Amino acid sequence: MTTIQLRRAGSPKDEWETIDLPSPAEAGLTATSWNKVSVSAALAWIQRKTDPSLAFLLSCRRGLCDVCAVRIDGKVVTACTTPVRDGMRIEPTKDKLALAGTIIDISLVRRARI
Amino acid sequence: MAVAEFDPPMQAFDVIVVGSGAAGLTAAWHARTQGASVLVINKGMAGRTGATITTGGGISIAGQTLQALGLPGDPDDSEEEFLADTLRAGQFLGDQSLVQSMVTGIGAEVERLVALKTPMRIMKRAPGHTSGRGVHISGPDIQRIQLQAAVDAGVRFLENFQSSGLLQDRDGRVVGITGLDRATGEVRSFAANAVVLATGGTTSNWSLRTAPEELTGDGHAMALQAGAELIEMEMLQFLPCCLVAPEMWRGLQFPWILGPQSGIRAWLLNKYGERFMARWDLERMELSTRDMVAFASANEVVEGRGSPNGGVCLSWAHLPRDILDNYFRISSNVSADWRWEGFDMTPLVDRIRAGHAIEVAPAAHFSIGGVRINSAGETAVPGLFVGGETAGGLHGSNRLSGNAGAQVLVQGKNAGVAAARFAEQHPTRAKPGNDAELTERLVGPLAQRDGAAPSETKRRLTQLAERALSPVRDGVSIKAALNELAEIAANDIPNLSTRQPERPWNRDWTDALECQATVHVLQAALISADARTASIGAHRRRDQAKISDAPLSHGLVRGTPDRLQHRFEPVAFSLVSPAA
């Protein structure tokens, strides 16, 4: 069994949800183990199958655009290039920037927004 | 269940641009520089989404044009040669007025990028071109510089806004846009004197793809519904030799870059170890054109000679290790420690060094077809302009390397300038006649709880596209897909639902809106693929009886989603004849 810990935007610092992932095959993935699967794919599975309210972003899928940036075990990484590890702790990179779920506001055009 | 809607007063702009990739930002900058007030609307965060950031970075430009800008270029390479190469690559299906516009217009845009101090280098190799014409600007660089230029020019932005329909007055003229603010969950409309669609291609509708997540063809669907025509929608460019596994690396073109693209003689093998390219291009083998390698690879799978995960094998085992060890010296894309883009590719390279073949397949890469425009970026709908990958007709049946970079810049400029002029000459505050209808379709999924699951519908649509619109096609599969699509359109699309009622960041809802667009885009592509019974360029039919002797024709689609009509129109050889 692979388990991850998740803390969403707006949750207190010590409030971690424990989420059990089924085997990749049961999750409809071709991978033989979760360590061949990105954190982004795991978040997508959670939103589709167990928690429709989970908010997350994904765009380029190759570590270039940074919209999927999260903090994992204290370190800021892109979720799309980080494989799932049993027991990993995933949270928004900065509470001040957190919008919803794991989404943070890293707009490049803040001054020009309407 | 009725869903109450917010009704704030509509903000108005001279020009609204949808999309913040290179095409959209170029359009916005030029429209603003013409004096228009400009709003850029983007589905995600501006400058962080879309295909521009992921591009290889080639921008085709004739050697003589480079020299005129004071840059080193091949003095023997003219705009005429560039035009001829582009038309030949597209087997003369390309709209010659659009090609002419690209080859003559790219110099001014490269000059603008030079003035913006964009880091660029002059290319020496340009696959498929008769000269090494082109400049190279990395995707993240061009994205960052264009975004800053637009901000500095006074362009305004609305992020995380999913546009879903064009507002039109009673005469059909575009007067604004409606969509969903993902962050707040509000349905909002904006008035505009002109709208530019630069939403990128449609390649996110395929499961194996190089494209980012957003490219579902929202712009194509909006344009079609507004009455615009789509052209050559069956034409899709696949990039061969992309990874099929593991999950996290699906769609990465790393093996292509480590092999044929760099001129390295890796071998493509089927499950029997046969070097199957010999059947198609004995001279160039794996270094053949992208469309040929993609077709040959997909054909092995269709004929039962593929690898376990539906690909073929790419092997470096016949080469000495030194070739790979020295790779970083010939390529600036990969570092000596095998970091490529955001990934550490060492485990894959170790497998290659140990003598294993890598499983690869063609991935959906670029939409050749799209909305039909003229060289000013105008569509058949008054007030609606299109540029970049959303527009079709330029590349004919196949796209040359670097020509997407030139396309997005030139067409972005043309659409932006034309939209600003139209906005100035034809200001309007006419009431939209279709706002209620657009809003109803938009909020539909939020009002339903137990209908079709959007993620499941999405999965079915991508599988359908992958089956029937692969690099190898046949009439039976296309017709079967059209039937399945009709069933999805009738049963699932009107019943798309959301499992929870919260409006902000409701992914079920935003997935549902993407499905609404995808179904129309795929319908147009399948109808076009069905009608074109002869193989040409990227569209290869296994069931073609003989080489067609019919005149070369554009495939065009228009009409309401429930009644799309396809027609052919002979290609006008206004500048160069195929016989010449």
Side-chain angles (χ1 to χ4, degrees):
Chain A
M1 171 78 76
T2 301
T3 299
I4 59 170
Q5 310 276 320
L6 183 65
R7 189 177 71 84
R8 303 179 201 221
S11 301
K13 275 281 178 206
D14 53 356
E15 201 176 294
W16 295 89
E17 301 161 54
T18 302
I19 298 168
D20 296 330
L21 300 174
S23 73
E26 286 168 313
L29 302 168
T30 52
T32 47
S33 82
W34 277 103
N35 64 20
K36 306 264 186 214
V37 180
S38 69
V39 169
S40 294
L43 294 174
W45 179 84
I46 295 165
Q47 194 279 331
R48 281 176 198 152
K49 297 299 173 189
T50 68
D51 182 356
S53 72
L54 177 61
F56 68 97
L57 289 181
L58 179 62
S59 177
C60 77
R61 295 178 294 126
R62 50 173 84 177
L64 295 175
C65 75
D66 293 342
V67 299
C68 67
V70 287
R71 189 178 292 276
I72 294 181
D73 297 333
K75 201 176 153 207
V76 174
V77 294
T78 44
C80 69
T81 59
T82 306
V84 173
R85 282 189 313 271
D86 188 33
M88 73 192 325
R89 293 187 149 202
I90 306 165
E91 61 189 320
T93 60
K94 250 197 181 118
D95 280 3
K96 244 187 2 207
L97 298 177
L99 296 174
T102 62
I103 301 174
I104 49 160
D105 184 3
I106 45 170
S107 173
L108 299 166
V109 294
R110 226 167 252 143
R111 289 180 296 116
R113 290 195 285 204
I114 59 167
Chain B
M1 183 173 77
V3 178
E5 276 320 308
F6 301 90
D7 195 15
M10 271 205 272
Q11 267 180 279
F13 295 85
D14 290 324
V15 175
I16 288 179
V17 177
V18 189
S20 76
L25 292 172
T26 305
W29 188 89
H30 280 285
R32 181 74 194 112
T33 304
Q34 297 278 316
S37 62
V38 181
L39 176 69
V40 169
I41 289 177
N42 197 55
K43 190 152 76 168
M45 277 183 250
R48 293 198 187 276
T49 53
T52 297
I53 208 168
T54 70
T55 53
I59 297 170
S60 304
I61 175 168
Q64 290 175 358
T65 315
L66 278 175
Q67 287 200 316
L69 298 177
L71 297 167
D74 173 2
D76 297 328
D77 181 35
S78 64
E79 287 179 352
E80 290 73 25
E81 285 294 318
F82 180 12
L83 177 125
D85 281 357
T86 301
L87 289 173
R88 265 196 300 272
Q91 302 198 24
F92 284 91
L93 188 62
D95 178 328
Q96 301 200 352
S97 68
L98 296 183
V99 181
Q100 171 86 342
S101 165
M102 174 180 73
V103 304
T104 57
I106 187 58
E109 276 311 290
V110 168
E111 191 174 20
R112 183 169 81 89
L113 291 170
V114 170
L116 290 167
K117 301 194 171 19
T118 310
M120 63 174 80
R121 60 184 167 81
I122 307 297
M123 300 199 331
K124 295 188 187 71
R125 251 183 99 239
H129 295 264
T130 51
S131 167
R133 65 173 71 99
V135 294
H136 183 279
I137 305 174
S138 82
D141 276 347
I142 198 164
Q143 181 71 72
R144 173 176 53 81
I145 279 162
Q146 296 257 37
L147 190 71
Q148 194 56 48
V151 169
D152 292 345
V155 170
R156 307 298 303 276
F157 286 85
L158 176 63
E159 299 182 283
N160 303 311
F161 189 89
Q162 189 164 359
S163 304
S164 69
L166 292 162
L167 293 168
Q168 289 173 284
D169 69 14
R170 308 262 170 219
D171 301 324
R173 181 238 163 105
V174 169
V175 296
I177 199 153
T178 291
L180 169 67
D181 187 323
R182 288 177 160 187
T184 64
E186 288 171 271
V187 172
R188 294 179 73 183
S189 294
F190 294 87
N193 290 322
V195 171
V196 177
L197 296 175
T199 52
T202 68
T203 45
S204 301
N205 297 321
W206 277 254
S207 119
L208 190 66
R209 60 178 186 269
T210 61
E213 294 288 288
E214 300 82 20
L215 307 185
T216 40
D218 306 358
H220 300 70
M222 286 190 281
L224 191 60
Q225 283 158 28
E229 204 161 31
L230 304 183
I231 180 167
E232 261 80 272
M233 281 300 284
E234 71 278 27
M235 298 298 174
L236 188 88
Q237 181 173 45
F238 289 87
L239 193 66
C241 301
C242 293
L243 287 170
V244 295
E247 212 88 23
M248 194 165 73
W249 288 349
R250 249 178 89 76
L252 294 186
Q253 63 255 48
F254 184 76
W256 173 245
I257 291 171
L258 194 60
Q261 197 201 43
S262 304
I264 289 182
R265 306 277 168 160
W267 285 352
L268 269 171
L269 307 168
N270 64 19
K271 73 177 176 191
Y272 302 114
E274 180 196 3
R275 215 176 149 197
F276 57 85
M277 281 309 298
R279 258 181 272 149
W280 307 102
D281 190 343
L282 197 51
E283 194 184 325
R284 290 179 291 184
M285 299 294 280
E286 289 83 1
L287 303 192
S288 185
T289 56
R290 293 184 284 197
D291 62 319
M292 180 53 86
V293 181
F295 158 75
S297 304
N299 190 59
E300 290 304 301
V301 178
V302 170
E303 295 188 352
R305 298 186 294 272
S307 55
N309 293 303
V312 290
C313 299
L314 189 63
S315 170
W316 289 257
H318 59 290
L319 298 172
R321 280 186 58 148
D322 313 58
I323 300 279
L324 280 186
D325 289 345
N326 288 315
Y327 177 76
F328 72 96
R329 294 180 206 280
I330 63 165
S331 171
S332 56
N333 294 323
V334 179
S335 66
D337 60 354
W338 297 110
R339 286 213 71 88
W340 177 74
E341 298 193 332
F343 293 101
D344 174 10
M345 302 308 291
T346 309
L348 188 87
V349 175
D350 285 346
R351 271 188 69 75
I352 294 171
R353 280 189 175 134
H356 294 282
I358 301 301
E359 219 181 327
V360 295
H365 186 54
F366 182 86
S367 294
I368 295 170
V371 182
R372 191 181 207 191
I373 56 167
N374 62 15
S375 55
E378 295 169 319
T379 67
V381 180
L384 183 62
F385 302 81
V386 175
E389 198 180 342
T390 316
L394 167 67
H395 307 289
S397 67
N398 194 11
R399 177 178 70 81
L400 269 184
S401 66
N403 279 13
Q407 173 187 22
V408 296
L409 296 173
V410 173
Q411 292 186 350
K413 174 187 178 176
N414 293 346
V417 169
R421 287 196 185 137
F422 183 88
E424 192 184 3
Q425 286 160 7
H426 308 281
T428 179
R429 286 294 170 262
K431 286 230 172 306
N434 62 338
D435 49 337
E437 179 197 330
L438 293 182
T439 301
E440 190 187 345
R441 195 181 62 214
L442 213 168
V443 298
L446 189 68
Q448 297 209 45
R449 284 292 161 272
D450 300 311
S455 66
E456 182 54 25
T457 304
K458 236 177 176 203
R459 195 184 59 81
R460 279 185 74 188
L461 289 169
T462 53
Q463 286 181 345
L464 180 153
E466 197 120 306
R467 268 199 309 276
L469 295 168
S470 84
V472 192
R473 296 156 181 195
D474 67 80
V476 175
S477 310
I478 293 168
K479 285 203 168 61
L482 270 168
N483 288 336
E484 190 185 343
L485 197 66
E487 185 263 309
I488 294 172
N491 299 330
D492 290 5
I493 299 297
N495 295 310
L496 287 167
S497 62
T498 48
R499 289 164 294 163
Q500 54 101 6
E502 291 299 320
R503 283 174 165 252
W505 300 111
N506 187 325
R507 190 168 268 267
D508 283 1
W509 193 6
T510 57
D511 278 351
L513 299 181
E514 286 184 340
C515 289
Q516 289 177 354
T518 297
V519 77
H520 297 155
V521 170
L522 290 182
Q523 211 164 5
L526 285 166
I527 288 173
S528 305
D530 190 38
R532 201 181 286 282
T533 52
S535 295
I536 176 169
H539 177 66
R540 286 182 191 261
R541 299 266 307 227
R542 276 166 55 78
D543 55 349
Q544 167 183 300
K546 59 175 177 61
I547 300 297
S548 168
D549 51 8
L552 203 53
S553 295
H554 297 301
L556 302 162
V557 174
R558 79 190 314 169
T560 53
D562 51 344
R563 198 178 302 166
L564 286 184
Q565 283 169 339
H566 184 277
R567 69 184 176 96
F568 281 114
E569 181 185 286
V571 176
F573 303 117
S574 54
L575 297 166
V576 186
S577 147

